[in-house]
């Protein structure tokens, strides 16, 4: 079955690193995504990782994938107040519908 | 290039009323999706379409119908609204990218309240 889980809330101070965690259950997932949702807006793709990769770095963002434990994390370095948002992880299977299964989202609060 | 647009942005319905949400994309994407977002539950797939003239059920299709008469438009209908359908509705579109990346582009959402 498909299930993606995230912790609901994370609070950090400006300048610190943030680590948002996600676990998924479907071992056939081909791509894993991180989306960001700012208040009143739709979801915006932040980054993604292919399932045969362990790590991907993109400027302040680092994605780590532990396939054995089905654990995905997003690290934001030097977190800024503009990073305050809800972060969703999502998985995609290589099926015809190409739909994503989303976690419940982690609300990141950055304190000045 | 507007991306994905949704109409309306807000709507209040009484129980039993009907309405149609319109989603339009100008990126020539093949795939389109309707999700609902409820507090603490992430996004759940209602219906989706893999091309013009085709639709299919997602995880939570009951109470909704969809149509994809034109490639750029995907309509979500509520025939008889219920309070349980109070939610924020997101439309998304995608097209196979380099290496099979299934990036989805989202609209800004429609906030629907059913009283």
């Amino acid at each position: 079955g498909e299930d993606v889980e995230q912790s609901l809330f994370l609070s950090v101070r400006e300048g610190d690193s943030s680590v948002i965690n996600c676990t998924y259950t479907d071992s056939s997932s081909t791509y894993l995504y991180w989306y960001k949702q700012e208040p009143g807006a739709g979801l915006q793709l932040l980054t993604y990782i292919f399932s045969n990769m362990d790590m991907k770095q993109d400027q302040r963002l680092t994605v780590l994938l532990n396939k054995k434990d089905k654990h995905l994390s997003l690290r934001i370095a030097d977190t800024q107040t503009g990073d305050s948002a809800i972060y969703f992880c999502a998985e995609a299977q290589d099926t015809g519908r190409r739909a994503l299964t989303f976690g419940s989202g982690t609300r990141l609060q950055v304190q000045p | 290039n507007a991306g994905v647009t949704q109409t309306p942005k807000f709507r209040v319905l009484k129980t039993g009323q009907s309405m149609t949400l319109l989603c339009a994309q100008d990126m020539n994407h093949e795939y389109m999706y309707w999700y609902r977002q409820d507090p603490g539950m992430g996004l759940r797939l209602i219906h989706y379409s893999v091309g013009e003239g085709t639709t299919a059920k997602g995880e939570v299709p009951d109470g909704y119908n969809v149509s994809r008469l034109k490639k750029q438009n995907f309509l979500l209908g509520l025939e008889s609204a219920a309070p349980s359908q109070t939610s924020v509705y997101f439309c998304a579109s995608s097209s196979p990218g380099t290496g099979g990346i299934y990036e989805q582009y989202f609209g800004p959402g429609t906030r629907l309240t059913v009283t």
Side-chain angles (χ1 to χ4, degrees), chain A residues 7-83:
Chain A
S7 54
L8 291 180
F9 185 75
L10 175 66
S11 180
V12 300
R13 291 200 177 275
E14 192 172 19
D16 288 349
S17 292
S18 307
V19 179
I20 301 171
N21 295 302
C22 171
T23 58
Y24 61 98
T25 58
D26 194 329
S27 59
S28 66
S29 296
T30 53
Y31 287 93
L32 295 137
Y33 299 83
W34 284 103
Y35 278 83
K36 177 182 180 182
Q37 183 182 32
E38 296 183 353
L43 278 69
Q44 180 182 13
L45 179 67
L46 275 181
T47 187
Y48 65 91
I49 188 167
F50 189 46
S51 59
N52 69 353
M53 299 168 65
D54 297 322
M55 185 184 82
K56 180 179 180 181
Q57 186 150 6
D58 185 0
Q59 299 182 332
R60 292 191 297 123
L61 306 179
T62 303
V63 179
L64 295 177
L65 177 60
N66 181 330
K67 290 182 287 295
K68 175 176 173 290
D69 295 336
K70 298 188 182 66
H71 183 265
L72 181 73
S73 68
L74 173 70
R75 179 177 180 269
I76 306 173
D78 188 24
T79 312
Q80 303 297 308
T81 54
D83 295 324

Side-chain angles (χ1 to χ4, degrees), chain B residues 21-70:
Chain B
L21 283 67
L22 172 63
C23 174
Q25 53 95 3
D26 60 2
M27 297 173 283
N28 201 35
H29 285 171
E30 291 294 331
Y31 301 88
M32 296 189 74
Y33 311 85
W34 276 107
Y35 293 92
R36 61 177 288 173
Q37 183 181 30
D38 301 295
M41 298 186 72
L43 279 75
R44 293 182 291 168
L45 182 65
I46 305 171
H47 286 280
Y48 65 99
S49 168
V50 300
E52 180 179 322
T54 70
T55 63
K57 294 180 180 180
E59 301 166 17
V60 288
D62 293 343
Y64 305 96
N65 57 74
V66 287
S67 64
R68 182 104 181 263
L69 298 179
K70 294 182 179 180

Side-chain angles (χ1 to χ4, degrees), chain B residues 4 10 13 20 40 59 69 71 73 83-84 91 95 103 105:
Chain B
V4 180
F10 303 94
L13 289 179
T20 300
E59 301 166 17
L69 298 179
K71 186 177 183 179
N73 295 337
S84 61
C91 176
S95 196
E103 177 180 359
Y105 295 80

